[in-house]
Amino acid sequence: MAKTINEEKVRHIANLARLSLSDKEVKLFTKQLGAVLEYFEKLDEVDTEGIEPTYQVIDGLENVFREDKVGKSFSSKKALSQAKKINGDYFVADHVFSKKTSKDRKNIDRKKIDEYNAILTEVYEKGTVGHKDLFMTEDVETTAASHVLDGYIAHYSSTVVELLEKAGHKTRYKLNNDAWGHGASGENSDYGPTLNPWDKKLVAGGSSSGSAAVVSTGQVEVATGTDTGGSIRLPASFCNVTSIKPSYGGLSRYGVIAFGSSLDCPSLMSSSAKTLRKYFNKVFIKDNFDSNTKSKKRDIKAKGVKKIGIIKEFAGKGNDPEIQRTFKEAVKLIINAGYKVEEISLPNAELGVAVYYIIAPVETSSNLARYDGVRFGNGREYFGAEAKRRIMLGTFTSSEGYADKYYDKAARVRTLIINDFKRSFEKVDALISPVSSILPFKIGQMSKNPLQLYLVDLYLSAISLSGLPTIALPGGFSKENLPIGFQIVGPRWSEDSLFDLAEKYQSLTEWHKRLPNNSG
Ligand code: GLN
């Protein structure tokens, strides 16, 4: 079989994406991207004849118009304050035709300010909430855990941060994460991996790694995170925390650094479903700054959960035996609590990883194009390895000659995945499955093999592609005392029903109350 990618093509894509790669990087990326592209070939076998592509999942959306009137904006001083070079009232850009790059800002090595490397900045000692460093916080450094944004001071706060502040929940910490949200382990942070409070040799799960660590140790009552393809659910599961990923469009993305725009869901974590719900209700608002939050359908009352489907493809023998055992026990408990449970097949759900790792990198390569070192932040040479891989991957799968085979095909398979879920919700009110097939793993164990790390998302991607609300919650422990979570998924805008079910489960179990040994 002819290789889809070779060093020459890698150099060409790097050029298109304005990344300058060393010879060593070209070699490595050729190998790694080759393996990922080979994995995508499973989509070739899917019949998408007559299937429309899905580019976004918003329903009942209305255009948001406003009067065109002059309002308050930044002063030019403020707008220019983060630029490296200015001339009077103008930004100075590097010469377009010169090859020179300026590494004139040195990398700031973050001081590790806690034993888990979960915290990037302490904002206010008496604060009670923590924010993933993708959330803009006015006048506070906001880095997306990337050296590109070292020293970047946000001009305004994201809607979620502002709503919490206004409700009296001051920000205590800015928290570590995989840079730009790219990752499942927390190891892709440019400031080093977050350590799992249950065992410091293990990953905390990502990308919202710091959020899970500080909630599990009780350092904050609630933390924000984002879930583009599982990033709130996996760390919640690996650290014994309860999380909500709302329906896509549920919480405002305004002021949250963008990763994959058709997938990004600002999300929350806390120690119980009850506390989580209290906070969730404060931030679940329609925001004029993010028209995705304006869906009328969100006001339709969810019908409650009586019948639950076990996702057949996610609950089988491929799971770690300890995960199989705890999941069976959780199901038993749910049946004893009076719910009807049956098995449901989602035949296309396992294609989620291939579809997600085409669509999310395409979207992130576009979103990260704005980091050119002119208006804010450092130049593109500051991107870490995973960000570069994703920019390369997304640029390639959407480039001329390849977009049909990859991006367009993925958008059509996305429709098939969504239809699987729609059909299942004609039979049941919610679906359940483990969050992952494996327990928290050793730091460094998968870092040389990006595809292996992408496959950790097997039970997460399809749900994100469909924009469905999901609560991940503690469901037991392994023999080695490692947390194991499971997830409850509902139709769009069924958050209330999911909270009812999660609260019911937590009224019958104690798992969520366990704290890691060495925490207060
Ligand atoms: N593991 C996924 C990824 O690496 C999820 C990321 C996310 O949800 N932000 O892209």
Side-chain angles (χ1 to χ4, degrees), residues 323-333:
I323 294 176
Q324 289 183 41
R325 176 182 60 77
T326 50
F327 186 66
K328 270 196 196 125
E329 282 166 17
V331 169
K332 218 194 274 148
L333 200 131

Side-chain angles (χ1 to χ4, degrees), residues 81-311:
S81 66
Q82 299 294 315
K84 269 186 286 183
K85 279 187 258 162
I86 55 169
N87 181 357
D89 264 356
Y90 297 96
F91 296 103
V92 176
D94 275 343
H95 201 283
V96 184
F97 299 106
S98 105
K99 283 243 180 299
K100 256 197 279 162
T101 53
S102 47
K103 274 212 172 193
D104 54 359
R105 204 154 161 172
K106 51 179 186 330
N107 284 358
I108 302 167
D109 256 338
R110 309 286 318 200
K111 270 194 250 109
K112 293 193 176 178
I113 54 179
D114 65 318
E115 61 178 307
Y116 308 114
N117 197 31
I119 300 162
L120 295 180
T121 311
E122 179 160 62
V123 180
Y124 176 58
E125 207 191 324
K126 294 205 176 77
T128 51
V129 304
H131 296 295
K132 186 178 190 177
D133 213 23
L134 291 176
F135 285 73
M136 304 262 273
T137 36
E138 192 175 353
D139 295 334
V140 174
E141 189 178 14
T142 299
T143 64
S146 166
H147 285 318
V148 169
L149 287 177
D150 273 341
Y152 170 68
I153 308 294
H155 289 340
Y156 62 96
S157 287
S158 61
T159 299
V160 171
V161 169
E162 205 170 282
L163 287 167
L164 288 172
E165 293 262 343
K166 276 198 184 129
H169 308 297
K170 298 262 177 281
T171 304
R172 181 162 186 198
Y173 300 128
K174 295 301 294 291
L175 299 164
N176 202 0
N177 53 265
D178 287 293
W180 311 105
H182 296 163
S185 64
E187 294 164 284
N188 291 333
S189 165
D190 290 354
Y191 306 124
T194 305
L195 317 185
N196 191 318
W198 293 85
D199 179 345
K200 289 203 241 174
K201 291 187 293 305
L202 308 182
V203 302
S207 65
S208 311
S209 54
S211 309
V214 294
V215 172
S216 79
T217 52
Q219 286 161 282
V220 293
E221 195 172 45
V222 76
T224 55
T226 56
D227 192 310
T228 301
S231 277
I232 201 90
R233 290 168 279 160
L234 197 67
S237 173
F238 278 11
C239 294
N240 206 44
V241 162
T242 307
S243 69
I244 173 89
K245 165 200 142 20
S247 306
Y248 174 75
L251 301 192
S252 171
R253 295 170 307 163
Y254 181 69
V256 181
I257 294 173
F259 166 7
S261 301
S262 80
L263 298 152
D264 288 345
C265 293
S267 300
L268 299 178
M269 285 184 194
S270 191
S271 55
S272 72
K274 206 168 165 188
T275 315
L276 193 64
R277 186 180 216 162
K278 196 177 80 189
Y279 280 90
F280 178 74
N281 287 336
K282 295 183 191 191
V283 291
F284 185 71
I285 55 115
K286 299 186 181 195
D287 183 14
N288 276 336
F289 291 126
D290 180 359
S291 59
N292 277 355
T293 62
K294 304 283 249 189
S295 167
K296 281 193 175 152
K297 296 237 171 100
R298 66 193 270 151
D299 299 330
I300 296 168
K301 187 107 188 77
K303 61 178 183 170
V305 176
K306 291 191 191 73
K307 255 181 152 181
I308 300 171
I310 297 172
I311 305 176

Side-chain angles (χ1 to χ4, degrees), residues 324-381:
Q324 289 183 41
R325 176 182 60 77
T326 50
F327 186 66
K328 270 196 196 125
E329 282 166 17
V331 169
K332 218 194 274 148
L333 200 131
I334 288 172
I335 294 172
N336 288 341
Y339 295 93
K340 289 221 159 49
V341 175
E342 64 180 83
E343 199 174 72
I344 294 274
S345 173
L346 305 172
N348 297 292
E350 274 177 322
L351 299 169
V353 171
V355 173
Y356 171 86
Y357 278 96
I358 294 173
I359 290 175
V362 166
E363 293 182 0
T364 205
S365 66
S366 156
N367 278 322
L368 297 184
R370 67 175 67 109
Y371 298 100
D372 55 7
V374 175
R375 281 169 303 156
F376 41 73
N378 296 312
R380 296 176 75 72
E381 67 274 23

